[in-house]
C-alpha cells in the first residue's frame, strides 16, 4: 500500500490556475496509473483524469480544455493544473493510485476559489 | 457519459440490521465494471468492491456486491458501528468514469 500526499495552495483567485502536487511514497511511481478526483463541498465525486509515468494521460472531457497533468519520476510526484478556475472548481482534491479503480488515496486537500 | 443514480439518498438502520443500497446506471455498464466506495467524514473514500462483486483487500465478508447491466446492489449484513458512512458507486467501463451521488447510511 502506497502513501499519497497532496500539496498546494488552499486558496486560488478566479480566472487563475490551480496547481497541486501529489507525492508518492512506499512504492514506485513507475508501476501504476495515477489519478486526480475532486469532491465539491457536500457533493459527490468527479473523476478529473489520470496519468501514467510515461506521460500518457486521459482527461475527463468536461474538464479537458482546462486540465494538464504531468509526472516527475525523479521526485515520485505527479501534478495537476486547472486553468481559468471559477467558484465551481472549489472542492477537495484527491490524488489516488489506479487508472480505473483507485485503491490508495491521499487524504485530500481543500482548494477554495475566491477573490 | 453514464449517469449513476443511487437510492435511497439516506438509509436509517440499527446495529445488526441488513443494509441494501442500490445503484442504477443510465445505460449498461460494460463488463460490470462497477465499484463501491465507503467514505467517512473528513476521510478519503475507501474501495470496498470492484467488478460489481469482488471485495477489495481487507474488506470484511459482510460487504457484498451484485448486479449487472444497469442495476447493482451493495449489501451489508449485520451492521456494525463503523459501517455508518456515505457509500458511492462508480462505473469505470465507459470513459469518463462517473460516480453516483451517494447514499448516507445513518444510525436509527
Amino acid at each position: 500500500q502506497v502513501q499519497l500526499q497532496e500539496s498546494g495552495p488552499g486558496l486560488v483567485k478566479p480566472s487563475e490556475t490551480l496547481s497541486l502536487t501529489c507525492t508518492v511514497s512506499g512504492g514506485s511511481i513507475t508501476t501504476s496509473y495515477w489519478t486526480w478526483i475532486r469532491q465539491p463541498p457536500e457533493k459527490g465525486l468527479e473523476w478529473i483524469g489520470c496519468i501514467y509515468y510515461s506521460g500518457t494521460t486521459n482527461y475527463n472531457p468536461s474538464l479537458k480544455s482546462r486540465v494538464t497533468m504531468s509526472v516527475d519520476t525523479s521526485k515520485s510526484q505527479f501534478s495537476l493544473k486547472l486553468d481559468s478556475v471559477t467558484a465551481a472548481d472549489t472542492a477537495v482534491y484527491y490524488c489516488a493510485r489506479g487508472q480505473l479503480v483507485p485503491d490508495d488515496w491521499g487524504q485530500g486537500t481543500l482548494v477554495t476559489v475566491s477573490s | 457519459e453514464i449517469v449513476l443514480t443511487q437510492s435511497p439518498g439516506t438509509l436509517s438502520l440499527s446495529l445488526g440490521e441488513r443494509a441494501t443500497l442500490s445503484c442504477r446506471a443510465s445505460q449498461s455498464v460494460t463488463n460490470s465494471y462497477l465499484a463501491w466506495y465507503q467514505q467517512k467524514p473528513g476521510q478519503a473514500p475507501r474501495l470496498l468492491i470492484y467488478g460489481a462483486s469482488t471485495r477489495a483487500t481487507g474488506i470484511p465478508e459482510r460487504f457484498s456486491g451484485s448486479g449487472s447491466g444497469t442495476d447493482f446492489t451493495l449489501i451489508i449484513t449485520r451492521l456494525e458501528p463503523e459501517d455508518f458512512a456515505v457509500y458511492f458507486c462508480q462505473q469505470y467501463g465507459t470513459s469518463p468514469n462517473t460516480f453516483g451521488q451517494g447514499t448516507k447510511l445513518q444510525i436509527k
Side-chain angles (χ1 to χ4, degrees):
Chain A
Q1 184 177 11
V2 299
Q3 290 77 49
L4 301 99
Q5 179 66 58
E6 304 90 351
S7 59
L11 180 64
V12 181
K13 290 183 169 56
S15 80
E16 296 190 344
T17 296
L18 178 159
S19 297
L20 295 174
T21 297
C22 183
T23 301
V24 178
S25 59
S28 174
I29 199 169
T30 62
T31 57
S32 297
Y33 273 85
W34 305 92
T35 289
W36 288 96
I37 291 168
R38 69 181 183 179
Q39 184 173 33
E42 306 302 321
K43 292 187 178 180
L45 299 157
E46 181 180 30
W47 180 78
I48 300 171
C50 64
I51 186 167
Y52 196 51
Y53 80 95
S54 62
T56 300
T57 56
N58 184 15
Y59 301 146
N60 190 324
S62 68
L63 297 168
K64 188 174 183 176
S65 63
R66 299 193 291 132
V67 168
T68 303
M69 293 183 185
S70 60
V71 62
D72 186 338
T73 56
S74 67
K75 295 181 179 179
S76 287
Q77 293 178 334
F78 60 104
S79 299
L80 168 70
K81 290 187 185 299
L82 182 64
D83 296 329
S84 305
V85 298
T86 70
D89 295 310
T90 293
V92 174
Y93 285 75
Y94 295 100
C95 60
R97 184 185 71 157
Q99 178 186 18
L100 298 177
V101 187
D103 53 1
D104 288 318
W105 295 59
Q107 63 184 23
T109 186
L110 174 63
V111 179
T112 301
V113 178
S114 175
S115 55
Chain B
E1 67 179 40
I2 294 179
V3 176
L4 299 179
T5 302
Q6 292 187 240
S7 60
T10 301
L11 183 59
S12 299
L13 293 171
S14 301
L15 293 173
E17 288 194 299
R18 172 189 174 107
T20 302
L21 287 68
S22 174
C23 177
R24 178 163 290 178
S26 60
Q27 60 192 81
S28 184
V29 176
T30 302
N31 296 329
S32 294
Y33 283 166
L34 193 287
W36 290 93
Y37 296 84
Q38 176 194 69
Q39 186 177 34
K40 297 179 180 179
Q43 296 184 17
R46 172 195 182 195
L47 177 64
L48 300 174
I49 302 281
Y50 62 93
S53 61
T54 302
R55 277 187 300 275
T57 303
I59 302 304
E61 291 184 359
R62 65 179 183 275
F63 291 89
S64 64
S66 65
S68 63
T70 61
D71 290 306
F72 297 86
T73 301
L74 174 70
I75 291 176
I76 312 169
T77 58
R78 300 181 302 279
L79 284 167
E80 299 195 5
E82 62 267 29
D83 297 337
F84 292 92
V86 178
Y87 291 83
F88 294 97
C89 58
Q90 176 214 3
Q91 71 79 26
Y92 53 98
T94 300
S95 185
N97 300 343
T98 51
F99 292 85
Q101 83 282 11
T103 289
K104 181 179 182 179
L105 177 58
Q106 62 183 25
I107 295 179
K108 188 174 182 180

